């Protein structure tokens, strides 16, 4: 079944359960895991489409649930609203990375990539959390690295070219400081100036999924989105 999404609104949800790794586990030596295309981004002008893979979607979704501390994040079924939002997040990320690659910025800055890795790994519960995530999804460290690289490139490109979607202003930073929203990230006696870098980065991370969805929807008719649904 092929569904075309009008105005980039994702009206089709994907249900993810513990069976997601079936095709990628239980392999004998020499065999390779099977992946599937779940959606495509098709720019106008005949430019080659960018495909979203089921493995990318599953990894992003499970990682997000795990970082949020959701109960049974690696095994629980996912409802319509969450899974749709994550698919739109992935498609937005792929669209931003495509733009960055066309602008010559497709390779992440090594320092920025290292910082992204440190933040994500810490939010997942350290190396044991990453290992649990990969075991539950049947994916590899290389696929986890791809997620990190994609996130680093997309976030940097949004900040450089589309800052209104993601860059917090001074009032947002001050409000977060005064409320102690991210106080665990800096010393208790820190001034606003000392805490600004940490707070800014936390706000950027919090805004990142919504910024991607806004970017995707802002493309309008310039990109056709197709979602492939297993009936």
């Amino acid at each position: 079944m092929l569904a075309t999404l009008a105005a980039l609104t994702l009206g089709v949800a994907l249900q993810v359960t513990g069976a997601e790794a079936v095709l990628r586990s239980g392999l004998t030596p020499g065999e390779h895991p099977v992946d599937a295309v779940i959606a495509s981004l098709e720019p106008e002008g005949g430019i080659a489409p960018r495909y979203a893979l089921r493995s990318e979607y599953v990894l992003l979704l499970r990682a997000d649930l795990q970082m949020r501390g959701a109960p049974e994040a690696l095994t629980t079924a996912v409802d319509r609203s969450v899974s749709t939002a994550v698919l739109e997040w992935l498609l937005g990320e792929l669209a931003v990375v495509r733009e960055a690659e066309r602008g010559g910025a497709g390779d992440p800055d090594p320092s920025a990539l290292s910082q992204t890795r440190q933040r994500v790994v810490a939010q997942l519960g350290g190396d044991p959390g990453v290992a649990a995530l990969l075991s539950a999804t049947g994916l590899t460290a290389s696929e986890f690295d791809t997620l990190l690289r994609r996130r680093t490139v997309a976030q940097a490109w949004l900040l450089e070219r589309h800052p209104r979607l993601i860059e917090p202003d001074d009032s947002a930073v001050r409000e977060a400081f005064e409320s102690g929203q991210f106080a665990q990230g800096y010393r208790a006696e820190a001034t606003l100036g000392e805490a600004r870098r940490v707070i800014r980065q936390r706000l950027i991370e919090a805004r990142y999924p919504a910024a991607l969805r806004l970017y995707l929807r802002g493309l309008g008719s310039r990109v056709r989105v197709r979602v492939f649904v297993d009936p």
Side-chain angles (χ1 to χ4, degrees):
M1 174 181 179
L2 179 63
T4 301
L5 304 182
L8 297 181
T9 299
L10 297 179
V12 179
L14 299 181
Q15 188 77 4
V16 176
T17 69
E20 63 212 11
V22 169
L23 294 180
R24 304 183 63 90
S25 61
L27 299 174
T28 59
E31 289 185 328
H32 297 282
V34 176
D35 213 332
V37 173
I38 60 171
S40 65
L41 293 167
E42 303 172 8
E44 64 181 3
I47 300 174
R50 176 65 57 88
Y51 297 105
L53 301 178
R54 191 168 188 271
S55 60
E56 295 173 321
Y57 166 78
V58 168
L59 182 59
L60 179 61
L61 185 150
R62 293 295 182 200
D64 185 55
L65 289 176
Q66 189 174 350
M67 287 189 286
R68 293 175 182 272
E72 300 180 350
L74 301 181
T75 59
T76 188
V78 180
D79 66 27
R80 174 181 296 269
S81 61
V82 173
S83 57
T84 301
V86 172
L87 179 55
E88 197 170 10
W89 172 352
L90 173 59
L91 291 171
E93 203 168 59
L94 293 174
V96 173
V97 169
R98 174 189 284 276
E99 182 185 347
E101 289 172 344
R102 296 181 68 187
D107 293 323
D109 174 76
S111 176
L113 178 59
S114 176
Q115 292 172 20
T116 299
R117 179 181 297 278
Q118 291 175 11
R119 288 194 302 269
V120 172
V121 169
Q123 291 168 347
L124 288 171
D127 291 337
V130 174
L133 172 65
L134 297 181
S135 177
T137 56
L139 302 178
T140 67
S142 176
E143 287 163 311
F144 181 67
D145 289 344
T146 298
L147 179 151
L148 297 175
R149 293 175 64 85
R150 192 174 65 232
R151 182 169 301 188
T152 304
V153 170
Q155 197 171 101
W157 190 256
L158 286 174
L159 285 167
E160 179 181 347
R161 297 299 179 95
H162 308 279
R164 65 179 181 81
L165 297 178
I166 194 172
E167 180 74 65
D169 57 24
D170 289 341
S171 63
V173 173
R174 178 175 294 278
E175 181 179 347
F177 176 74
E178 293 176 349
S179 68
Q181 185 178 358
F182 305 114
Q184 72 278 11
Y186 49 86
R187 63 185 183 87
E189 301 80 10
T191 65
L192 174 59
E194 293 170 332
R196 181 180 298 277
R197 182 185 62 81
V198 171
I199 294 173
R200 174 182 175 273
Q201 183 58 47
R202 296 292 180 85
L203 288 173
I204 288 171
E205 292 171 6
R207 295 178 178 197
Y208 180 60
L212 292 168
R213 291 192 288 269
L214 288 171
Y215 176 86
L216 181 65
R217 294 172 183 176
L219 294 176
S221 61
R222 288 177 290 164
V223 172
R224 185 183 189 186
V225 177
R226 295 177 186 262
V227 175
F228 300 87
V229 182
D230 183 350

